[in-house]
Amino acid sequence: MAEEEGSDINGGQASMDSTESRWVFQDEDDSEIEDDDEDDFLSHRSTAVDGLDSEEDEDNAAQRLIRTGPRLDSFDVEALEVPGAHRSDYEDFSLGKKITLAFQTLGVVFGDVGTSPLYTFSVMFSKAPINGNEDVIGALSLVLYTLILIPLVKYVLVVLWANDDGEGGTFALYSLICRHAKVSLLPNQLPSDARISSFRLKVPSAELERSLKLKERLENSLVLKKLLLMLVLAGTSMVIADAVVTPAMSVTSAVSGIKVGVDAIEQDEVVMISVAFLVILFSIQKFGTSKVGLAIGPALFIWFCSLASIGIYNLVKYDSSVLRAFNPVHIYYFFKRNSIKAWYSLGGCLLCATGSEAMFADLCYFSVRSVQLTFVFLVLPCLLLGYLGQAAYLMDNHADADQAFFSSIPSGAFWPVLFIANIAALIASRAMTTATFSCIKQSTALGCFPRLKIIHTSRKFMGQIYIPVINWFLLAVCLVLVCSISSIDEIGNAYGIAELGIMMMTTILVTLVMLLIWQINIVIVLSFLVFFLGLELTFFSSVLWSVTDGSWIILVFSIIMFLIMYIWNYGSKLKYETEVKQKLSMDLMRELGCNLGTIRAPGIGLLYNELVRGIPAIFGHFLTTLPAIHSMIIFVCIKYVPVPVVPQSERFLFRRVCPKSYHIFRCIARYGYKDVRKENHQTFEQLLIESLEKFIRREAQERSLESDGDDDTGSEDDSSGSRVLIAPNGSVYSLGVPLLAEFKDTSKPILEASTSEEVRPVTPPAEPAVPDTEQSLERELSFIHKAKESGVVYLLGHGDIRARKDSWFIKKLVINYFYAFLRKNCRRGTANLSVPHSQLMQVGMTYMV
């Protein structure tokens, strides 16, 4: 799982410039050297350019506190290259675009909550039958305040602001927390990741002791890290379960309205029609959010207008005294009269707030403002009028409570409204399906879900996706649910379990965001947590009491999805840790020499691996298996960092693994969880080689500056700004500007790295070696071009894991069977690369864990 640590607890070093000096322990895990065991070749000048740094010395060194020099290594300089943060896709829209976006928002986000009037009162009064008009007003008051408190206050006014640069959902909250505290269970973090322009890290200040203590507690407790991950996985499993039960509930309740208009229709016919509608619904999912959302947005707008119109009609015709329900005292009277039955009805009351999580989970498709404005000025007023109108009708027609909505429709408008209701139900069913696609993509990028084929349905908005396997899987489970549980009441109870599971996880995660990132008053945080978590637990106790009715199916389904995600994460973590332990030592590389103990054939070998530090063990397997190895080797690590988007100019980070004569580099290709890896292998190769050449030129330029500076070591003006660093984008950094302001000892080179050895004084050469540097640069660039012309070969190592014979039985079962099954059936890395077989070499390796 590719999550990142945020700042360092000791003074917030993640917010430092990469050149800022600081006191460090040389063997600390989060030092400014990104590779614990891999110092780049830019060490001491006394070892010359081709000197080989020891990659293992740091692991074995005694802990010594030293003052580091300003570090500007290859990873840090590239991470500082782009000063501007990534901008949202939706910032610069015209008024017409915003109106179009509002229609799409209706079609994708609000369909679920918009169709809740179809079944809310029906389910409530099936558990607490109407014994008088006061019961109607009490139930209405309960619905109104649930609608106001959960969707409006909690989600629209609070939770939507906890988005991760426009991304919503449980995994977006998790990635946001991961950037501010080291809660990742996978040790593949690099300090340079915090310098991605879209990282937007806000380090807790020293004054806010509460935030710092919480951060330290999270970082130092493995139990809390695992608990946090389990909460996120539980919330995601509930999202997937919600995507099953939402279509079942919405479509079945809408189709059942036919029984009001045609008495001869039986429940079996309703189920058959619902199955047909569901098949059609999931079949059109592949056409994408933009196309479908724009097409059905006007239809849902008509639906909301119909709700408001019918509500106003019933208020005028029947009983406008239901407006008394805005007085919350009627909730107390409702519970006083009905006691246990009123508590049972809470499960039905919650259905008015279903779809609240979709507003947050589907945020990646739309902007925060478009969701907020559409809900406050259109969706909420229409829903309130719709519920008021149904209650006004029920004041005079207690017997029609089982089909409250369809019975309250004026006779002349019944069939048009029935048609619109079924269209709206189909639209509503897409809300959690699109949210599920988004959550699964995020969880896959963060290493918590097996890799699947993802299709991007919009060229403009990269967050709009479609996952075929998940789409048809959800359809199959949904059909089983509809056919096995045909009762609206039982499906409604299952619906409540799924929704409340998501809501509670979101409440806990947003509370962490408030404490750690927003850093607001503790009283406000505790009020939010106690009030909303208490409210949701009260609702949850009601739906759990009826779990034996058939809604247990959803609980079992959620547990299965949770186990799939947890086993995948557990296996991936074990595999990564084993690869770290078995990486090749630099002593071995020294012994092999620049030819690596074999023949170096012309060409470039891109060795894909998951390690961000060290030389992978699979490379040794290639050396012993193949008769020759390529003249240039690049270790490529595709790494997902916990940000939505990594700008293309910040995509590749390079480091020289060995001296120049070895021609071995490391490249970390960084992607956000919202990024699209859409480039073909030729484009990827071209971008990679261009970035490598830029790195080598920068490297030579920096060494040239070092040589210039060493000629003037006795000058008193060196520390006042005469030394400069010219970045590839043309920016000029001098020692007088903040980037290098704290660097005063000009006898040390700018590119000096803090290593596990004592930092020895550097003896400057007798004369500058600029001409030699330029010649060396041209020779190396020429070598790269010749290697590129000879061809690029992809070296893929498939590392599998098996449990040791002396392992526990449960571990053997999980690793050897469950994880192995998931790994065998997930999407292989070669599928994403689109590499011809003639350019592909694969070697298998099994690790015992």
Side-chain angles (χ1 to χ4, degrees):
M1 186 170 55
E3 297 114 10
E4 304 308 309
E5 80 267 31
S7 59
D8 194 308
I9 194 68
N10 299 317
Q13 275 80 10
S15 65
M16 288 181 169
D17 289 331
S18 61
T19 56
E20 189 170 347
S21 302
R22 64 184 178 105
W23 288 98
V24 297
F25 288 105
Q26 287 187 312
D27 64 345
E28 67 178 354
D29 292 336
D30 57 343
S31 72
E32 282 296 293
I33 303 174
E34 290 118 357
D35 297 279
D36 310 294
D37 57 347
E38 183 186 311
D39 294 339
D40 60 48
F41 82 107
L42 304 170
S43 181
H44 313 299
R45 236 178 300 160
S46 58
T47 62
V49 173
D50 291 342
L52 180 63
D53 292 331
S54 170
E55 287 199 317
E56 298 296 330
D57 289 343
E58 269 195 280
D59 294 334
N60 303 321
Q63 194 177 57
R64 295 187 299 276
L65 187 66
I66 66 166
R67 182 77 170 181
T68 68
R71 177 166 177 82
L72 276 177
D73 71 5
S74 57
F75 284 5
D76 291 336
V77 171
E78 293 196 25
L80 288 168
E81 185 173 306
V82 180
H86 169 72
R87 300 188 65 188
S88 173
D89 292 334
Y90 308 98
E91 286 183 3
D92 300 321
F93 276 176
S94 63
L95 179 61
K97 284 283 187 181
K98 289 180 180 178
I99 294 174
T100 302
L101 196 63
F103 269 112
Q104 290 183 356
T105 306
L106 277 178
V108 175
V109 177
F110 297 114
D112 194 359
V113 69
T115 53
S116 60
L118 291 173
Y119 42 75
T120 299
F121 276 143
S122 300
V123 177
M124 280 191 72
F125 291 127
S126 68
K127 298 181 179 182
I130 301 175
N131 295 320
N133 287 345
E134 286 300 318
D135 286 342
V136 176
I137 294 177
L140 174 62
S141 183
L142 194 59
V143 167
L144 294 180
Y145 280 97
T146 301
L147 196 60
I148 291 171
L149 289 175
I150 295 181
L152 178 62
V153 177
K154 179 186 172 182
Y155 280 91
V156 172
L157 299 183
V158 179
V159 174
L160 287 184
W161 292 113
N163 67 86
D164 184 16
D165 195 20
E167 289 285 319
T170 51
F171 263 98
L173 286 172
Y174 183 56
S175 85
L176 196 61
I177 294 170
C178 283
R179 295 214 304 277
H180 292 78
K182 302 172 190 175
V183 295
S184 169
L185 294 177
L186 200 62
N188 69 340
Q189 302 88 17
L190 295 175
S192 59
D193 293 330
R195 300 182 184 98
I196 299 173
S197 61
S198 56
F199 211 97
R200 293 181 179 177
L201 187 64
K202 176 188 175 185
V203 180
S205 63
E207 294 78 16
L208 295 178
E209 186 177 353
R210 184 194 70 236
S211 297
L212 292 172
K213 286 183 177 179
L214 174 63
K215 180 176 182 293
E216 185 176 13
R217 186 70 181 272
L218 284 173
E219 292 175 343
N220 295 333
S221 173
L222 183 60
V223 173
L224 289 180
K225 290 179 182 180
K226 290 183 177 180
L227 180 60
L228 179 61
L229 178 64
M230 291 175 70
L231 286 175
V232 173
L233 296 183
T236 305
S237 66
M238 288 294 183
V239 170
I240 300 173
D242 205 358
V244 171
V245 74
T246 297
M249 185 68 179
S250 299
V251 173
T252 304
S253 59
V255 173
S256 64
I258 300 177
K259 294 194 294 185
V260 176
V262 181
D263 296 333
I265 295 291
E266 300 293 336
Q267 185 62 28
D268 290 341
E269 284 83 357
V270 170
V271 171
M272 293 175 61
I273 297 172
S274 299
V275 167
F277 279 5
L278 288 171
V279 172
I280 295 172
L281 167 71
F282 283 93
S283 298
I284 65 172
Q285 194 76 41
K286 62 183 178 182
F287 294 109
T289 302
S290 293
K291 299 172 185 175
V292 177
L294 188 57
I296 60 183
L300 206 61
F301 178 74
I302 296 173
W303 164 251
F304 279 113
C305 292
S306 300
L307 277 180
S309 301
I310 294 171
I312 294 172
Y313 172 83
N314 287 329
L315 279 172
V316 173
K317 182 177 180 180
Y318 294 101
D319 194 345
S320 61
S321 65
V322 293
L323 293 173
R324 290 181 296 154
F326 281 103
N327 186 348
V329 72
H330 292 285
I331 298 176
Y332 168 75
Y333 294 149
F334 180 67
F335 277 91
K336 184 178 180 180
R337 286 190 304 272
N338 295 280
S339 61
I340 298 297
K341 291 182 178 179
W343 178 63
Y344 284 155
S345 70
L346 285 177
C349 176
L350 178 74
L351 297 180
C352 72
T354 56
S356 300
E357 186 67 26
M359 286 190 289
F360 185 48
D362 283 330
L363 196 59
C364 62
Y365 297 91
F366 307 102
S367 65
V368 174
R369 284 296 184 193
S370 66
V371 174
Q372 290 177 323
L373 295 176
T374 305
F375 182 83
V376 171
F377 292 106
L378 176 62
V379 175
L380 184 61
C382 293
L383 287 175
L384 293 177
L385 286 172
Y387 284 115
L388 287 168
Q390 287 186 50
Y393 174 81
L394 290 176
M395 294 285 280
D396 294 340
N397 300 275
H398 295 176
D400 292 337
D402 59 335
Q403 285 286 352
F405 175 76
F406 289 106
S407 299
S408 66
I409 301 174
S411 57
F414 178 81
W415 290 108
V417 172
L418 177 64
F419 174 76
I420 297 172
N422 278 272
I423 297 297
L426 292 174
I427 297 169
S429 302
R430 301 187 68 258
M432 288 312 298
T433 307
T434 53
T436 300
F437 293 158
S438 176
C439 285
I440 288 178
K441 184 179 185 296
Q442 293 173 12
S443 60
T444 301
L446 297 178
C448 295
F449 204 91
R451 293 183 297 271
L452 301 171
K453 181 180 181 180
I454 297 176
I455 298 173
H456 296 264
T457 58
S458 173
R459 293 183 178 181
K460 185 171 184 179
F461 304 122
M462 291 298 102
Q464 300 183 4
I465 59 174
Y466 166 69
I467 307 177
V469 173
I470 297 298
N471 185 66
W472 301 119
F473 174 69
L474 293 177
L475 172 62
V477 179
C478 186
L479 294 181
V480 170
L481 183 66
V482 170
C483 294
S484 59
I485 307 177
S486 57
S487 169
I488 295 295
D489 298 340
E490 294 179 7
I491 297 177
N493 200 61
Y495 204 178
I497 291 175
E499 283 285 339
L500 283 166
I502 307 168
M503 290 178 179
M504 290 188 292
M505 298 305 109
T506 299
T507 299
I508 296 171
L509 292 174
V510 170
T511 301
L512 278 177
V513 170
M514 287 180 170
L515 290 170
L516 188 65
I517 304 170
W518 293 355
Q519 301 167 0
I520 60 179
N521 191 286
I522 189 67
V523 176
I524 298 175
V525 176
L526 289 178
S527 300
F528 174 84
L529 177 64
V530 171
F531 180 80
F532 285 106
L533 190 59
L535 182 65
E536 288 155 3
L537 284 172
T538 304
F539 281 112
F540 198 58
S541 65
S542 174
V543 295
L544 277 184
W545 190 260
S546 305
V547 73
T548 56
D549 292 344
S551 52
W552 59 269
I553 295 177
I554 287 299
L555 276 180
V556 171
F557 177 77
S558 299
I559 292 172
I560 292 173
M561 297 308 301
F562 174 84
L563 290 176
I564 288 174
M565 291 186 287
Y566 188 80
I567 288 172
W568 181 263
N569 178 263
Y570 175 70
S572 300
K573 176 176 172 288
L574 279 182
K575 178 175 176 290
Y576 187 89
E577 290 175 343
T578 305
E579 289 179 341
V580 170
K581 292 176 182 177
Q582 298 189 12
K583 60 190 176 185
L584 300 183
S585 69
M586 285 305 297
D587 289 336
L588 175 61
M589 300 298 290
R590 289 193 189 95
E591 293 175 4
L592 292 176
C594 61
N595 287 329
L596 302 176
T598 184
I599 300 172
R600 301 296 292 270
I604 298 177
L606 302 181
L607 196 156
Y608 279 75
N609 68 102
E610 297 179 3
L611 292 186
V612 296
R613 303 181 175 107
I615 300 174
I618 199 74
F619 182 58
H621 208 41
F622 274 106
L623 291 177
T624 57
T625 303
L626 301 178
I629 201 69
H630 300 83
S631 58
M632 176 175 288
I633 296 294
I634 302 177
F635 298 129
V636 181
C637 172
I638 303 294
K639 179 181 178 182
Y640 284 91
V641 292
V643 296
V645 175
V646 176
Q648 184 65 49
S649 55
E650 302 179 22
R651 177 83 66 218
F652 300 102
L653 298 184
F654 280 89
R655 183 188 289 276
R656 195 185 292 276
V657 176
C658 293
K660 285 187 177 181
S661 59
Y662 280 64
H663 300 294
I664 299 179
F665 299 88
R666 173 178 309 287
C667 171
I668 298 179
R670 304 179 300 180
Y671 292 84
Y673 56 75
K674 190 180 176 182
D675 272 325
V676 186
R677 289 180 56 193
K678 59 183 178 179
E679 63 268 5
N680 55 37
H681 71 98
Q682 293 99 337
T683 306
F684 182 83
E685 291 169 13
Q686 185 65 30
L687 291 172
L688 187 144
I689 297 300
E690 289 176 358
S691 298
L692 176 59
E693 291 178 354
K694 184 169 66 173
F695 159 71
I696 291 173
R697 293 181 187 278
R698 178 187 295 114
E699 178 185 84
Q701 184 183 46
E702 291 163 353
R703 289 198 170 279
S704 176
L705 287 174
E706 288 180 26
S707 300
D708 292 341
D710 287 332
D711 290 336
D712 301 322
T713 51
S715 172
E716 295 180 358
D717 296 335
D718 270 9
S719 61
S720 64
S722 61
R723 303 254 314 276
V724 298
L725 173 65
I726 303 174
N729 59 6
S731 301
V732 177
Y733 301 108
S734 73
L735 296 183
V737 299
L739 180 63
L740 303 175
E742 294 204 22
F743 182 80
K744 301 298 182 185
D745 187 359
T746 57
S747 65
K748 297 179 180 179
I750 293 178
L751 295 166
E752 182 181 76
S754 60
T755 68
S756 59
E757 302 173 349
E758 293 289 349
V759 179
R760 296 182 292 272
V762 177
T763 304
E767 59 183 16
V770 176
D772 292 340
T773 303
E774 293 177 355
Q775 292 176 8
S776 176
L777 171 62
E778 293 304 322
R779 284 196 302 268
E780 188 159 19
L781 292 178
S782 176
F783 183 88
I784 293 175
H785 293 155
K786 290 180 180 178
K788 177 69 169 63
E789 292 171 0
S790 298
V792 177
V793 175
Y794 291 75
L795 308 175
L796 300 182
H798 295 294
D800 293 322
I801 58 174
R802 301 282 295 178
R804 298 180 184 274
K805 291 183 179 180
D806 57 349
S807 301
W808 289 82
F809 170 76
I810 297 297
K811 184 176 180 180
K812 290 181 180 179
L813 184 66
V814 169
I815 297 299
N816 296 348
Y817 295 97
F818 295 150
Y819 179 73
F821 174 80
L822 292 174
R823 189 168 178 82
K824 182 179 179 181
N825 291 278
C826 75
R827 188 174 174 85
R828 289 284 184 175
T830 53
N832 293 326
L833 297 175
S834 303
V835 180
H837 290 290
S838 59
Q839 293 180 248
L840 192 62
M841 286 187 183
Q842 302 186 58
V843 172
M845 192 170 182
T846 301
Y847 301 103
M848 302 305 294
V849 297

